[in-house]
């Protein structure tokens, strides 16, 4: 029993190669499906991700059900990810290769429907993103960008932006000036 639990069924070199190859293959596949797959992980996407992990399990561990082999595979997977993330942070070209570049989905209050369709995003999801940013409609936006990590960035036109702390401070200063004039009373009458 102890041997089956702790003795790997395949050589560690093979397990390392299997793990790295599967990691890289999944990275390429996920990159090919686009940013939308990461942006709005709905129920269907979650099921696919869970099944995907089960599908590639044997490709990673091979004919090995040992605890040691599984932990070794997990360590190789985490180390591979750690190395790639560090290299992506170091080299901008490598980061663009792994993550891609931002994609403009709308500009000057108009959707780019071709790009939206190519990214597999629903216009309704973009409308929600606009409302979350404080806008009422696409016409109030100057730019909507799908970032490489799947985040939707919505930039509202100047007059349509929600007031920030500086706007509130300016209004308070203006009100204070008006109150000061009113409390000074009428002049020259």
């Amino acid at each position: 029993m102890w041997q089956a639990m702790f003795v790997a069924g395949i050589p560690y070199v093979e397990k390392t190669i299997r793990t790295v190859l599967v990691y890289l293959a999944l990275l390429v596949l996920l990159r090919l499906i686009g940013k939308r797959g990461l942006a709005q992980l709905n129920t269907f996407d979650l099921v696919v991700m869970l099944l995907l992990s089960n599908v590639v399990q044997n490709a990673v561990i091979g004919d090995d059900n040992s605890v040691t082999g599984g932990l070794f595979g997990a360590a190789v997977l985490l180390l591979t990810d750690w190395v790639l993330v560090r290299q992506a942070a170091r080299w901008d070209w490598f980061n663009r290769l792994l993550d891609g570049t931002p994609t403009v989905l709308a500009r000057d209050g108009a959707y780019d429907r071709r790009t939206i369709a190519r990214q597999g995003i629903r216009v309704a999801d973009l409308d929600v993103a606009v409302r979350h940013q404080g806008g009422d409609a696409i016409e109030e936006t100057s730019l909507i960008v799908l970032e490489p990590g799947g985040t939707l960035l919505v930039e509202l036109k100047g007059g349509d932006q929600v007031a920030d702390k500086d706007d509130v401070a300016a209004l308070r200063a203006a009100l204070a000036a008006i109150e000061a004039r009113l409390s000074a009373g009428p002049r020259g009458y």
Side-chain angles (χ1 to χ4, degrees):
M1 173 176 94
W2 290 104
Q3 181 160 341
M5 267 178 66
F6 294 108
V7 176
I10 63 172
Y12 287 110
V13 172
E14 180 184 342
K15 186 175 287 295
T16 301
I17 293 169
R18 284 172 167 269
T19 303
V20 171
L21 286 176
V22 169
Y23 177 88
L24 293 174
L26 285 176
L27 194 63
V28 168
L29 288 171
L30 289 173
R31 174 79 168 82
L32 290 176
I33 67 163
K35 298 171 228 170
R36 181 236 153 259
L38 302 173
Q40 293 97 17
L41 192 64
N42 61 32
T43 305
F44 300 111
D45 297 328
L46 179 61
V47 169
V48 168
M49 291 299 210
L50 291 172
L51 290 175
L52 185 62
S53 67
N54 193 42
V55 165
V56 300
Q57 176 184 349
N58 289 339
V60 171
I61 63 171
D63 189 23
D64 184 1
N65 292 324
S66 69
V67 172
T68 308
L71 291 175
F72 181 79
V76 169
L77 185 62
L78 292 172
L79 179 65
T80 303
D81 183 65
W82 183 84
V83 167
L84 286 179
V85 166
R86 296 302 177 279
Q87 298 315 310
R90 179 178 292 165
W91 297 315
D92 194 43
W93 67 268
F94 191 62
N95 184 47
R96 283 191 310 274
L97 177 69
L98 291 180
D99 284 342
T101 56
T103 304
V104 175
L105 302 174
R107 187 182 307 274
D108 298 325
Y111 289 123
D112 181 344
R113 296 201 181 265
R114 178 185 284 181
T115 303
I116 291 169
R118 192 173 65 244
Q119 292 297 322
I121 297 176
R122 298 177 320 144
V123 170
D125 293 332
L126 296 177
D127 291 338
V128 168
V130 170
R131 287 193 300 277
H132 278 217
Q133 190 63 29
D136 294 319
I138 183 66
E139 293 78 20
E140 295 180 0
T141 65
S142 59
L143 195 65
I144 300 178
V145 176
L146 179 60
E147 292 293 324
T151 303
L152 286 171
L153 176 69
V154 177
E155 189 176 302
L156 296 175
K157 292 178 182 174
D160 293 313
Q161 293 179 5
V162 177
D164 62 16
K165 291 179 182 180
D166 290 338
D167 295 330
V168 173
L171 286 173
R172 285 185 177 155
L175 284 174
I178 292 169
E179 288 174 352
R181 281 185 168 172
L182 289 175
S183 64
R187 292 186 184 158
Y189 294 111

